[in-house]
Amino acid sequence: MSFAQLDPLLHSQLRLAVMSLLIGVDSAEFVFIKEKTGATAGNLSVQLDKLSNAGYISVTKSFKGKKPLTTCSITKVGIKAFEDYVNNLKQYIE
Amino acid sequence: MSFAQLDPLLHSQLRLAVMSLLIGVDSAEFVFIKEKTGATAGNLSVQLDKLSNAGYISVTKSFKGKKPLTTCSITKVGIKAFEDYVNNLKQYIE
DNA sequence: AAAATTAGGTTTATAATGTAAACCATTTTA
DNA sequence: TAAAATGGTTTACATTATAAACCTAATTTT
């Protein structure tokens, strides 16, 4: 039995933290994710794009009053990918 | 509570697989590790160097008959680092 | 006994990735 | 009305991962 591949999109500290956050909530705002993960805004913006392009999260941009508001939520595909990642990872750490 | 840092030296698929292998055995030979992980020799060579330089594994080079033989084993420091990594990681995946 | 192949690696060039710094538009504060 | 803050995005750079090329010695083939 050899080691399963770990989805490279999830095997990134920041992206994994984002997914970990999102899997527990309905949705979360950019600023909230930024604070919880301790990421810089720039880095977070890039990584959210990657997760979004992969279909792992959905990102909607609107306004809170007159300020931009970016809201994220995990998708079904994202949940599946996260679960698979965790299962594969367990092979490495158990 | 924010997310703990994941040791970047261990947060690499191949290096994690190597550590995962080594934590269960006394020692392992280069070719064995290569086969178990599915890595190319070049990549494995580089990653073993990194783990070795960090003091996470010890690497001894000798000869089996007249062929070179590279043997690896995990160190105490390596075990500790691996355990810490696993503990921190659990925060992300549970 | 050359020549080719295999074994066991290492070196290095390139591609991919991660990240912070710089930037932009708007809004609030002094 | 400047200056600073908010909420991001873009982009340039540094780091990392990886495969391809290479090396030395030992076998095997012709």
Side-chain angles (χ1 to χ4, degrees):
Chain A
M1 180 187 67
S2 82
F3 292 93
Q5 279 290 117
L6 298 176
D7 183 346
L9 214 80
L10 293 183
H11 198 66
S12 137
Q13 185 171 175
L14 180 50
R15 289 194 300 268
L16 190 63
V18 168
M19 294 293 280
S20 178
L21 265 183
L22 291 183
I23 209 162
V25 298
D26 259 21
S27 70
E29 298 178 6
F30 186 97
V31 172
F32 175 80
I33 300 174
K34 177 174 176 298
E35 277 165 8
K36 280 289 183 181
T37 59
T40 61
N43 193 11
L44 182 57
S45 178
V46 170
Q47 308 309 330
L48 289 180
D49 267 6
K50 289 185 186 176
L51 290 172
S52 173
N53 288 334
Y56 289 3
I57 67 173
S58 70
V59 177
T60 62
K61 283 149 204 278
S62 59
F63 287 86
K64 174 160 62 178
K66 293 184 176 177
K67 288 178 190 167
L69 176 69
T70 298
T71 306
C72 305
S73 57
I74 198 167
T75 64
K76 273 197 174 185
V77 171
I79 292 172
K80 175 68 162 56
F82 186 79
E83 287 172 351
D84 287 351
Y85 173 80
V86 171
N87 285 332
N88 288 338
L89 190 60
K90 282 183 175 162
Q91 210 188 326
Y92 291 74
I93 67 175
E94 277 176 352
Chain B
M1 181 185 70
S2 82
F3 293 92
Q5 279 291 116
L6 298 176
D7 183 347
L9 214 80
L10 294 182
H11 198 67
S12 135
Q13 185 171 175
L14 179 49
R15 289 194 300 270
L16 190 63
V18 168
M19 294 293 280
S20 178
L21 265 183
L22 291 182
I23 209 162
V25 298
D26 259 21
S27 69
E29 299 177 6
F30 187 95
V31 172
F32 175 80
I33 300 174
K34 178 174 174 300
E35 278 165 8
K36 279 291 183 180
T37 58
T40 61
N43 192 11
L44 182 56
S45 180
V46 171
Q47 308 310 328
L48 289 179
D49 266 6
K50 288 185 187 177
L51 290 172
S52 174
N53 288 334
Y56 288 3
I57 68 173
S58 69
V59 177
T60 63
K61 282 150 205 277
S62 60
F63 286 86
K64 174 159 61 177
K66 294 184 175 175
K67 288 176 190 169
L69 176 68
T70 299
T71 307
C72 305
S73 55
I74 198 166
T75 63
K76 273 197 173 183
V77 171
I79 292 171
K80 175 68 163 57
F82 187 78
E83 286 172 351
D84 286 352
Y85 173 81
V86 171
N87 285 332
N88 288 338
L89 190 60
K90 283 183 175 162
Q91 210 188 328
Y92 291 75
I93 67 175
E94 278 176 351

